[in-house]
Amino acid sequence: MSDNVKRGARAEHRWPAVLGLLIALALYATLPSTFLPGLRYTVVAIGIALLIPLIALNPHRLHRETRWSKYIATGQAFLLVVANEVALVQLVIQLTSSGKSDGPTLLLAALQVWVTNVIAFALVYWELDRGGPVSRRHADRADFPPADFRFPQDEDHDAIDEVAARSSRRIGWVASYFDYVYFSLSNSMAFSPTDTMPLSLRAKSLMALESFGGFVLLALVIARAVSLLG
């Protein structure tokens, strides 16, 4: 993919996604010491190292994209998802096998894994949908790859005027990083689509994995909390 720049386009800010990534890496790094410390610190080091060339390419706003930057950004997001899923599996094992003395520590670890999961999947959705953040802001709509998600703004153009005023067709609206964070958060809490619908097989697969992980965590955390109070 060659540099993709469209004059006059309002590029998306880089720093909300960077902040989200750093929060997720910090939560992942500070999991209890029993959670594979070698793997955790390696993932954090790789995640930060991959961030450096991405910031160098687009320090403030996402104006440019190359083939290598797209691979790095998408790989970085998937790395965090996979690493956190490993932590989730280990957490499930510990929640079902450890004693009461480890309860508070494991409940806090469950919160860390859950929040990291929300952020990591939001990054994946943000990087994949319609070609990613650079494509969505700079390419003509006719050149967009097929959408992975349908947002309410994509179909509000024929609603009442004050609603249609914010539609994709009226103002060229496209999703930003925060939209994917909200969508990921609601998917993790509701275990199903809320206002945003998956369209592609990969979108449905990712949402299913995220919601299943959230459901398992919630069920085990409730069971663990009951056992601690009993």
Side-chain angles (χ1 to χ4, degrees):
M1 184 182 301
S2 60
D3 284 2
N4 190 3
V5 181
K6 185 177 179 181
R7 291 181 182 274
R10 184 67 171 171
E12 186 173 352
H13 281 287
R14 163 166 293 287
W15 288 99
V18 171
L19 179 61
L21 176 67
L22 293 177
I23 291 173
L25 289 175
L27 289 171
Y28 181 72
T30 55
L31 284 170
S33 59
T34 54
F35 282 70
L36 301 173
L39 173 63
R40 286 190 290 118
Y41 298 142
T42 300
V43 169
V44 171
I46 293 174
I48 293 175
L50 293 178
L51 190 58
I52 294 172
L54 295 176
I55 293 177
L57 182 66
N58 290 298
H60 303 294
R61 288 183 177 270
L62 296 164
H63 291 285
R64 296 184 295 166
E65 182 177 85
T66 64
R67 185 182 297 274
W68 64 263
S69 69
K70 184 61 178 175
Y71 287 157
I72 289 176
T74 306
Q76 183 184 57
F78 272 108
L79 173 66
L80 185 57
V81 165
V82 172
N84 199 58
E85 292 302 308
V86 173
L88 173 60
V89 172
Q90 188 172 3
L91 178 62
V92 168
I93 294 171
Q94 294 196 24
L95 281 171
T96 55
S97 62
S98 60
K100 283 190 175 183
S101 61
D102 297 324
T105 299
L106 291 178
L107 291 180
L108 179 59
L111 177 61
Q112 291 175 258
V113 169
W114 187 83
V115 174
T116 302
N117 220 41
V118 170
I119 296 173
F121 274 96
L123 287 167
V124 170
Y125 301 148
W126 182 63
E127 289 291 349
L128 291 183
D129 189 31
R130 309 180 203 208
V134 176
S135 173
R136 286 191 298 270
R137 292 298 178 98
H138 298 302
D140 294 329
R141 282 194 176 270
D143 298 326
F144 279 7
D148 290 290
F149 302 101
R150 186 191 71 204
F151 289 87
Q153 291 88 338
D154 295 330
E155 53 187 17
D156 285 345
H157 57 275
D158 56 353
I160 194 168
D161 287 347
E162 62 269 25
V163 175
R166 296 183 182 273
S167 68
S168 301
R169 183 173 295 182
R170 290 279 187 91
I171 62 172
W173 180 93
V174 292
S176 65
Y177 174 67
F178 182 78
D179 294 295
Y180 293 99
V181 172
Y182 170 77
F183 162 54
S184 180
L185 180 65
S186 61
N187 185 51
S188 288
M189 292 190 294
F191 316 127
S192 64
T194 51
D195 65 335
T196 302
M197 301 300 295
L199 301 176
S200 66
L201 178 61
R202 67 180 182 181
K204 293 176 182 179
S205 300
L206 288 166
M207 284 185 63
L209 179 62
E210 180 185 13
S211 58
F212 178 74
F215 175 79
V216 169
L217 267 182
L218 177 63
L220 289 178
V221 164
I222 291 175
R224 186 70 177 183
V226 170
S227 71
L228 289 175
L229 295 173

